[in-house]
Amino acid sequence: GFVCLSEASGKAEDAIKKANIALKQAKEILRGDCIEFTREMAIKTEGRVRLLNGLRKAFDFDRLFLVYQPQVSVASGDVIGVEALMRWRTDEGEMIPPDDFIPLAESSGLIVPLGEWALNTALLELERINNTHKTELRMGINVSALQFRHPDFLKVVQKAINNHRVQSKNIELEITESVAMLDANTAVETIQHLRQIGVHVAMDDFGTGYSSLSSLEKFRLSRLKIDKAFIDKINEKSSSSQLPEMIIKLARDLNLDVIAEGVEHDYQFSFLKQLGCDEIQGYLFAKPVLSEQLDQWLIAHKKDQQGS
């Protein structure tokens, strides 16, 4: 990373700081080459720093919260679980998209304490839901690469289970292909330990990464999740079904269940049912909602099911 001195204020510290900004850009997008500092980089970096500072404060002052999206059986229409999703509302009431703050939390390391908080919050909600509605719903919880590879990860999971009156069989941790493939051997060992205590592991956004079939067999997962990007390609006029169909067939061969996320239309649901998909989640049934709204939705959905 380098900077033209005309872009610096005349102080060595300023020139080095700007060259370092360019260096970080080079490491991220152009390893093996060099990148020149631009003012746009400085603006972007300052924005990231402000957002990160805001995220730290949000965590300290309870501006982060979880919402829950129901997951429904394709065959019966019954609710079989919910996925916990993190949200951030600023003091001014602005919602910061997860695509903006989650990568920032991961790159800064803040995702480790955030992930532990989300795990405990989700399990507390799981305990409440199943006690209130006399059900055995599953709770899906996303796990980042840093969390999954952290030396205390398994202890954190076990402690969370011990602190809440939930059954480990009702917990499903969701990892991505990239998380699993960063260190396949460690991933296999970690998943094996989770299975030993009864916790399920699903692979989220399957088909967008680069996991090999041989590694996929070793992981011994419980479920594959078809990414919304593939579901979006299913439309009324023509259905680009190759990838969803391949994923479902692969899951069958590996004795895994399949859930499709981002299902928004009846024709998508019908098509996935025809392919043999096990479960779906998406706006067709429910948006991610707060705990109180989830109660109302579960009651209404149960009445609909009984009526049909």
Side-chain angles (χ1 to χ4, degrees), residues 247-258 275-278:
I247 292 170
I248 291 169
K249 285 182 178 179
L250 174 63
R252 290 287 168 269
D253 292 340
L254 296 175
N255 198 28
L256 302 176
D257 289 333
V258 184
L275 291 178
C277 187
D278 300 294

Side-chain angles (χ1 to χ4, degrees), residues 37-300:
F37 169 83
T38 65
R39 293 181 185 180
E40 288 75 16
M41 285 182 194
I43 293 170
K44 183 179 178 181
T45 300
E46 288 169 6
R48 284 171 59 88
V49 170
R50 283 197 301 271
L51 194 63
L52 179 57
N53 289 335
L55 183 58
R56 293 186 194 279
K57 291 179 182 177
F59 187 36
D60 291 338
F61 293 100
D62 299 328
R63 294 294 180 266
L64 293 167
F65 60 97
L66 297 183
V67 291
Y68 305 91
Q69 186 170 37
Q71 299 170 325
V72 178
S73 166
V74 171
S76 66
D78 294 335
V79 183
I80 43 81
V82 295
E83 180 183 5
L85 300 162
M86 198 180 299
R87 296 291 184 263
W88 173 14
R89 183 186 290 112
T90 66
D91 291 341
E92 295 74 28
E94 179 188 0
M95 295 295 296
I96 307 296
D99 288 348
D100 288 346
F101 75 84
I102 294 294
L104 193 59
E106 290 177 336
S107 64
S108 67
L110 186 60
I111 195 67
V112 174
L114 275 180
E116 184 174 352
W117 164 80
L119 175 64
N120 280 280
T121 304
L123 294 193
L124 182 63
E125 177 66 8
L126 177 62
E127 179 184 352
R128 189 198 68 79
I129 291 172
N130 284 340
N131 287 339
T132 300
H133 298 276
K134 309 301 180 188
T135 57
E136 286 288 333
L137 296 184
R138 181 183 72 221
M139 178 65 73
I141 305 161
N142 291 283
V143 175
S144 77
L146 278 179
Q147 283 178 271
F148 192 73
R149 297 167 66 196
H150 195 279
D152 291 334
F153 175 63
L154 292 170
K155 292 179 182 177
V156 167
V157 173
Q158 186 64 69
K159 183 180 177 182
I161 294 172
N162 294 341
N163 288 343
H164 303 284
R165 290 176 295 179
V166 296
Q167 296 188 58
S168 54
K169 68 177 184 178
N170 293 329
I171 302 169
E172 184 164 85
L173 303 180
E174 299 184 7
I175 62 173
T176 62
E177 289 179 85
S178 58
V179 170
M181 295 305 294
L182 283 172
D183 186 347
N185 292 331
T186 301
V188 169
E189 188 176 332
T190 302
I191 292 171
Q192 184 177 0
H193 281 296
L194 291 169
R195 286 175 59 90
Q196 287 172 354
I197 62 175
V199 174
H200 298 282
V201 179
M203 186 168 284
D204 195 12
D205 301 337
F206 185 73
T208 61
Y210 47 86
S211 61
S212 67
L213 296 181
S214 59
S215 296
L216 197 57
E217 278 190 295
K218 294 177 186 176
F219 291 147
R220 298 187 65 195
L221 302 164
S222 301
R223 200 175 323 275
L224 298 181
K225 296 192 74 175
I226 304 176
D227 186 63
K228 183 180 184 299
F230 303 134
I231 305 304
D232 287 343
K233 293 180 181 179
I234 301 173
N235 56 60
E236 289 181 287
K237 294 182 179 179
S238 63
S239 298
S240 179
S241 65
Q242 287 184 337
L243 273 171
E245 189 171 1
M246 286 173 59
I247 292 170
I248 291 169
K249 285 182 178 179
L250 174 63
R252 290 287 168 269
D253 292 340
L254 296 175
N255 198 28
L256 302 176
D257 289 333
V258 184
I259 181 168
E261 55 186 352
V263 179
E264 299 181 359
H265 306 284
D266 286 318
Y267 55 80
Q268 292 174 333
F269 173 77
S270 299
F271 191 75
L272 289 165
K273 185 176 183 178
Q274 182 182 340
L275 291 178
C277 187
D278 300 294
E279 304 163 7
I280 67 164
Q281 70 182 88
Y283 285 13
L284 177 63
F285 281 92
K287 296 180 179 181
V289 293
L290 295 169
S291 179
E292 314 83 65
Q293 297 168 307
L294 179 61
D295 278 336
Q296 297 168 12
W297 187 91
L298 289 170
I299 293 169

